[in-house]
Amino acid sequence: MAFDIEKIRADFPILKRTVNTYPLVYLDNAATSQKPQQVIDSIVGYYSNYNANIHRGVHSLSQEATDAYEMARQKIQKHFNAAHAHEIIFTPGTTHGINLIANGFSSLLKKGDEIIVSALEHHSNIVPWQMLCEKTGAQLKVIPMNEEGTLVMSAYKELLSERTKLVFVNHISNALGTINPIEEIIQLAHEVNAAVLIDGAQSCSHIKPDLQELDVDFYVTSAHKMCGPTGIGMLYLKEEWGKKLPPYQGGGEMIAEVTFEKTTYAEMPHKFEAGTPNISGGIAFGAAIDYLNTIGFKAIEAHENALLNYATEALLAIEGLKIYGTGTAKTSVISFNIEGVHPYDMGTILDKLGIAVRTGHHCAQPIMEFYKIPGTVRASFAFYNTLEEVDRLVAGVKKAKMMLS
Ligand code: PMP
């Protein structure tokens, strides 16, 4: 399909609204994406037409709901190219998926083991692992970053050893937009027999990964970053890990047989899906994937790169403006500050002009600590943004600068 930005924008009802009397310019896509009508309709369709609990129901509504939910799992499997649908676990989101794996490793790690994180992570890919280290006595090592906001791969190679059991990094940093070299990170980790978890929360809306080609052990993401609803996401875990790791939560759906003496667990994916799931969310996640693939990831990437380059050039022309994250492997995020202007004040003035950006540490305090700043202003783009919206942002930043400095 040709990339028709007006047609695409027409799919998103929220893009028609005004904020503070101005047409909305939504540049907070790294926090969450907007939802097209097709995704909204899939949620309304489920509740209006076939709302029922799934699995084991003999009645028609339950079977329709089960079919739609399992069809969504298959769409996700196909999109991410997992070998099996049962390797796709529905979760409430990225954070839950990471906690599930961290919990699973608590029975596999011991004192003396090491696990490796990167300096570019969201708190949700730091804190669960710190908790795991507290429980097991394993040690957390950090791949450092440089001034450009890029990982120092030579330091990573030095950190790896036979003590390394697990490496977890994001594909794209939500705070800076840096694309990490995950292919190399995975390959090097596997050379010392360490498993790898990739946090795809920030990349899944920009890049379609091939999980089998990556040969990654675990991959997590959230549907709300890719035009789907909140409260649903997925964890991919390779079949061998699905067998090895214990369940995260106990309850209905995840069992084979229960007696008071002993309970046996269901096979994956159900082993990791205790309780009634977010059924409409799962179905809508599938609809979101269909929607993105109709536009096509090549077209999305080309448009977003054009927005990023155009905005970078225009913002850098503003005196006193500094962009954080200046490496060449980068997508869709511009994190910046203006000398003498607090990011919160900048964000507040931009909001008065109808422009939504995020300000603060973006749940990545170690990155802010590295640059010795309290936070940044972050403009993050999606395929439905336009060059005219970038112009509005640049004009807004200039106006705020004048008012504040
Ligand atoms: N990792 C990254 C890189 C993220 O950008 C986010 C969301 N900002 C998360 C993890 C956490 O995702 P969620 O809050 O949807 O669980």
Side-chain angles (χ1 to χ4, degrees), residues 40-66:
I40 298 167
D41 285 348
S42 74
I43 298 168
V44 175
Y46 164 73
Y47 283 117
S48 307
N49 301 317
Y50 58 100
N51 172 49
N53 211 333
I54 55 171
H55 300 142
R56 300 180 317 274
V58 291
H59 64 81
S60 298
L61 289 193
S62 175
Q63 285 179 11
E64 278 179 42
T66 302

Side-chain angles (χ1 to χ4, degrees), residues 326-402:
T326 51
T328 45
K330 165 167 189 175
T331 186
S332 296
V333 170
I334 302 184
S335 234
F336 66 93
N337 274 327
I338 291 189
E339 222 178 332
V341 174
H342 196 280
Y344 180 81
D345 296 334
M346 170 67 70
T348 305
I349 292 181
L350 290 175
D351 178 60
K352 295 270 178 287
L353 300 168
I355 302 162
V357 294
R358 187 143 294 240
T359 61
H361 55 60
H362 318 298
C363 293
Q365 283 181 354
I367 299 179
M368 304 302 134
E369 170 66 21
F370 176 88
Y371 288 117
K372 302 275 176 271
I373 50 175
T376 68
V377 182
R378 182 186 70 185
S380 52
F381 308 106
F383 56 91
Y384 42 72
N385 288 125
T386 64
L387 295 175
E388 292 73 30
E389 288 183 314
V390 174
D391 290 339
R392 288 261 314 273
L393 169 72
V394 174
V397 170
K398 285 180 182 163
K399 186 165 179 180
K401 182 191 168 198
M402 232 162 50

Side-chain angles (χ1 to χ4, degrees), residues 54-55 62-77 85-86 88 90 253 268-270 273 277 279 282-283 286:
I54 55 171
H55 300 142
S62 175
Q63 285 179 11
E64 278 179 42
T66 302
D67 287 350
Y69 190 72
E70 291 305 325
M71 175 73 78
R73 195 192 305 273
Q74 285 171 25
K75 285 177 186 174
I76 296 166
Q77 175 210 351
H86 60 252
I88 304 296
F90 279 116
E253 298 267 348
M268 60 195 288
H270 306 296
E273 295 181 346
I279 302 167
I283 293 167

Side-chain angles (χ1 to χ4, degrees), residues 239-264:
E239 193 168 40
E240 64 196 76
W241 282 108
K243 291 191 172 136
K244 211 182 301 182
L245 293 181
Y248 183 36
Q249 293 179 327
E253 298 267 348
M254 53 75 75
I255 53 90
E257 206 170 344
V258 177
T259 67
F260 281 110
E261 287 69 43
K262 183 176 165 55
T263 288
T264 51

Side-chain angles (χ1 to χ4, degrees), residues 32 35 92 223-224 228-232 278 281:
T32 199
K35 320 304 171 199
H224 72 91
T230 51
I232 187 84
N278 179 352

Side-chain angles (χ1 to χ4, degrees), residues 80-83 183 186 190 209-216 236:
F80 290 98
N81 196 28
E183 294 81 0
I186 295 166
H190 283 171
D210 182 326
L211 297 181
Q212 288 185 80
E213 195 178 307
L214 282 172
D215 192 27
V216 69
Y236 159 83

Side-chain angles (χ1 to χ4, degrees), residues 48-155:
S48 307
N49 301 317
Y50 58 100
N51 172 49
N53 211 333
I54 55 171
H55 300 142
R56 300 180 317 274
V58 291
H59 64 81
S60 298
L61 289 193
S62 175
Q63 285 179 11
E64 278 179 42
T66 302
D67 287 350
Y69 190 72
E70 291 305 325
M71 175 73 78
R73 195 192 305 273
Q74 285 171 25
K75 285 177 186 174
I76 296 166
Q77 175 210 351
K78 198 159 159 252
H79 177 80
F80 290 98
N81 196 28
H84 310 285
H86 60 252
E87 292 174 319
I88 304 296
I89 313 299
F90 279 116
T91 66
T94 303
T95 304
H96 185 100
I98 294 171
N99 277 280
L100 190 157
I101 299 301
N103 180 73
F105 266 79
S106 61
S107 56
L108 300 180
L109 294 188
K110 56 182 188 322
K111 203 165 181 313
D113 288 341
E114 293 176 358
I115 58 177
I116 299 181
V117 69
S118 98
L120 285 175
E121 301 305 311
H122 188 280
H123 295 161
S124 67
N125 202 23
I126 300 174
V127 183
W129 306 113
Q130 289 174 322
M131 292 159 73
L132 173 64
C133 286
E134 266 175 37
K135 264 193 248 171
T136 60
Q139 232 194 329
L140 185 67
K141 301 275 176 177
V142 185
I143 312 169
M145 60 186 273
N146 61 21
E147 194 61 32
E148 278 188 349
T150 303
L151 293 181
V152 182
M153 289 298 282
S154 55

